[in-house]
Amino acid sequence: MALASDFVDAASSAEERRAAKREKRMMRISRLSGPFTAIGLGWAVPLMKIAAGDDPRSNMKAIWQGLVVPILGILAFLALWATLAPQVQTSLGSVPGPVQVADQVGSLYADWQRTQSDKAAFYERQEARNEKLIEAGYPDRVQIRPYTGAPTYPEQILTSLKTVFLGFLLATVVAVPLGIACGLSKTVNGALNPLIQIFKPVSPLAWLPIVTMIVSALYANASDALPKSMVVSAITVMLCSLWPTLINTALGVASIDKDLVNVGKVLQLSTTKTITKLVLPSAMPLIFTGLRLSLGVGWMVLIAAEMLAQNPGIGKFVWDEFQNGSSDSLARIIVAVITIGIVGFVLDRIMAALQAAFTFSSTR
């Protein structure tokens, strides 16, 4: 009997240990819910719970809402697009459907591969020529020239990302300090508010000629790393995207708990410490909301700015394809439109993840 009792106790202990380990796994997975939701992968949490041994039925609703319904929506959109597109005739033929657009994605990728191969061959020939000159005793004739082929589509996407981040950085550097000043001082807010209301609705197409002339006058010796067209596009992005950050920062600073301000006065904190220790932490959720809006506005503005400034990004790609007028141009423009949407979504998810990481709550 004693042996049987020991066996039952051992089995019970093993079962309790397995249950405890399972509970720890579930807790770790549950903690991932916030970060995963912030980056748009909230549907992965119930899948992980099922894989960890949780009851599938309790997670099916979350999987249905977070994964199945969006997939069904995308499939319905693709089916409607494929049905209606051939019925619309343009000067370049019928509107391309999903299959034709997917073919152009493959074509753009093939162009990128071919360019990479040509670039590698160019540098190999250049290196071989320079080695021969060195062996012949003419090291002074060695030259290193950059590859000057046309930019490929992935390189144009990278150029647009660099430009929008430069403009977004400039907008943040200008908007956050001004927003803090507006939130802390009614006088500053009263002075700047009319200017904000006047310049906030101005289109990037109106800013672009002014920015182009000013940059051309002040930035005469442009560098290869920061060409003039990129600077023009970035400053245009800044002028159009700084307003959401400025307004939300001012609102966040003005609405902080007055008790915190009084505590700062009692402790006789300096202005710098008051801003860094009290104002910014309290206003951070609204500041990040403004940053997310500014980045979205900047990404939209960038395409129009690149079209006119001829910055070699996605905007110039769209303009060149429109001017080209080939049978594949419309499909390639649709590829660019989808790319713009996907990149914009990814940028917003990155900002949402940063907001979740640097703020205690997304609500005030």
Side-chain angles (χ1 to χ4, degrees):
M1 294 295 293
L3 293 175
S5 176
D6 292 341
F7 178 77
V8 172
D9 291 342
S12 176
S13 299
E15 183 66 25
E16 290 176 357
R17 287 196 296 270
R18 285 195 294 270
K21 289 181 179 179
R22 179 175 172 276
E23 187 67 24
K24 288 181 179 180
R25 286 199 300 270
M26 292 302 169
M27 289 178 62
R28 286 196 293 265
I29 293 173
S30 297
R31 283 197 291 266
L32 294 174
S33 178
F36 273 50
T37 302
I39 61 175
L41 297 177
W43 50 266
V45 174
L47 291 176
M48 294 169 65
K49 289 183 177 179
I50 294 174
D54 197 11
D55 182 18
R57 289 176 295 181
S58 63
N59 294 286
M60 286 308 298
K61 184 177 180 180
I63 295 174
W64 172 263
Q65 292 291 338
L67 181 62
V68 178
V69 171
I71 290 176
L72 291 176
I74 293 173
L75 292 176
F77 168 75
L78 292 176
L80 187 65
W81 177 13
T83 302
L84 297 179
Q87 301 179 21
V88 180
Q89 297 295 324
T90 69
S91 58
L92 300 178
S94 61
V95 173
V99 175
Q100 291 83 357
V101 172
D103 290 340
Q104 289 307 310
V105 173
S107 177
L108 290 170
Y109 179 70
D111 290 343
W112 175 78
Q113 286 185 315
R114 185 164 50 252
T115 301
Q116 292 299 109
S117 177
D118 293 343
K119 185 185 296 185
F122 170 81
Y123 284 119
E124 286 178 2
R125 291 194 300 271
Q126 181 174 251
E127 185 177 353
R129 182 172 60 252
N130 290 336
E131 288 179 355
K132 289 181 179 179
L133 289 173
I134 293 173
E135 291 174 357
Y138 302 106
D140 54 320
R141 297 184 183 179
V142 171
Q143 293 182 342
I144 299 178
R145 297 186 178 93
Y147 181 76
T148 57
T152 59
Y153 189 62
E155 292 170 339
Q156 289 172 310
I157 296 174
L158 184 60
T159 299
S160 291
L161 287 173
K162 290 179 181 178
T163 306
V164 77
F165 277 124
L166 178 59
F168 176 70
L169 179 62
L170 293 173
T172 302
V173 169
V174 172
V176 171
L178 287 179
I180 293 173
C182 289
L184 292 176
S185 172
K186 291 184 179 180
T187 302
V188 175
N189 184 62
L192 292 182
N193 187 59
L195 299 176
I196 294 172
Q197 301 305 322
I198 290 172
F199 291 117
K200 181 164 64 74
V202 176
S203 167
L205 301 181
W207 281 119
L208 197 61
I210 301 173
V211 173
T212 301
M213 288 187 289
I214 294 175
V215 170
S216 298
L218 300 179
Y219 191 53
N221 299 320
S223 66
D224 293 336
L226 203 63
K228 190 178 296 184
S229 60
M230 180 179 289
V231 174
V232 169
S233 300
I235 294 178
T236 304
V237 167
M238 179 201 74
L239 291 173
C240 294
S241 66
L242 64 87
W243 312 112
T245 298
L246 197 160
I247 294 170
N248 278 273
T249 301
L251 179 61
V253 172
S255 60
I256 65 175
D257 193 341
K258 300 305 177 185
D259 291 338
L260 290 175
V261 179
N262 293 332
V263 169
K265 291 179 180 179
V266 170
L267 296 176
Q268 297 182 347
L269 296 178
S270 65
T271 303
T272 302
K273 284 191 175 180
T274 300
I275 292 174
T276 57
K277 301 296 183 181
L278 299 179
V279 173
L280 284 179
S282 299
M284 196 61 73
L286 275 177
I287 292 175
F288 265 101
T289 300
L291 291 173
R292 288 176 64 182
L293 292 172
S294 290
L295 187 56
V297 170
W299 183 244
M300 288 189 295
V301 165
L302 175 70
I303 307 305
E306 286 184 333
M307 282 185 179
L308 298 182
Q310 292 297 291
N311 186 44
I314 301 179
K316 187 175 185 300
F317 172 84
V318 172
W319 181 253
D320 289 344
E321 289 297 334
F322 176 73
Q323 295 292 97
N324 184 24
S326 68
S327 57
D328 297 330
S329 293
L330 195 53
R332 293 195 170 203
I333 292 174
I334 294 176
V335 172
V337 169
I338 295 173
T339 302
I340 292 166
I342 293 174
V343 172
F345 171 76
V346 172
L347 293 177
D348 182 71
R349 290 298 89 196
I350 292 173
M351 290 302 299
L354 290 175
Q355 180 175 2
F358 289 101
T359 60
F360 293 104
S361 173
S362 60
T363 59
R364 297 191 57 78

